[in-house]
Structure formats: C-alpha cells, structure tokens
Amino acid sequence: MPLHLHQQPLHRRHRYRHGNLLTLADVFPGKRALIAGIGDLPDEQTHRLQAYGILPGRLVRVLSKRPMVIVQVEQTELA
C-alpha cells in the first residue's frame, strides 16, 4: 500500500525530516507510524482509505505483516 509514513517518535519534541518517510511495508509489527500522505492511487482507492480513517496526520499501528498487512486505526483493525 503506497502510504507515506513517519515512524512514531519516542519523544514528542522530535521533528521529522523528509528523508524519514517510510511505506507501510517498512514498519515493523507492533510499531506505530504517523501517516504523512497517500501515494499515487486512483481516486476510488484513496477515498476508500480515507473512509476507513487512513488520513494524513492519523496514527496507525501495524499489527501484522504476514500473511497480510493488518493495521489498527484508532479502534478499527484493517487488513
């Protein structure tokens, strides 16, 4: 999934640089990441992700990467 993410900082005052952008595939299970943006997707897919709460500025937790990627957005788990 072409999301652009920031790894969740250990300290709130930590600032990110553009070089720290990741994709969902780069985040280890159990870690949180801040969504910085959604990559180049058709409008229909972008709207679907937004409807599920996948929005810039939203914090997600990667629960699993195998056999499929499962993320938690607030209280919702998405595969």
Side-chain angles (χ1 to χ4, degrees):
M1 184 178 297
L3 298 177
H4 302 289
L5 307 166
H6 291 297
Q7 197 79 33
Q8 177 67 11
L10 296 176
H11 195 279
R12 289 247 181 234
R13 287 184 284 180
H14 179 74
R15 297 280 179 185
Y16 292 106
R17 290 175 239 115
H18 289 292
N20 291 344
L21 290 179
L22 307 169
T23 65
L24 192 56
D26 297 322
V27 180
F28 291 106
K31 297 293 184 181
R32 292 185 287 178
L34 185 68
I35 298 173
I38 298 175
D40 295 327
L41 290 174
D43 288 342
E44 181 180 319
Q45 288 180 342
T46 299
H47 294 307
R48 185 176 302 150
L49 289 172
Q50 291 172 342
Y52 284 119
I54 305 292
L55 300 164
R58 186 66 58 95
L59 192 62
V60 297
R61 179 186 301 271
V62 175
L63 300 178
S64 173
K65 288 178 33 174
R66 294 187 182 189
M68 66 178 57
V69 176
I70 301 172
V71 295
Q72 182 178 11
V73 182
E74 293 185 0
Q75 302 301 317
T76 303
E77 293 180 11
L78 304 168

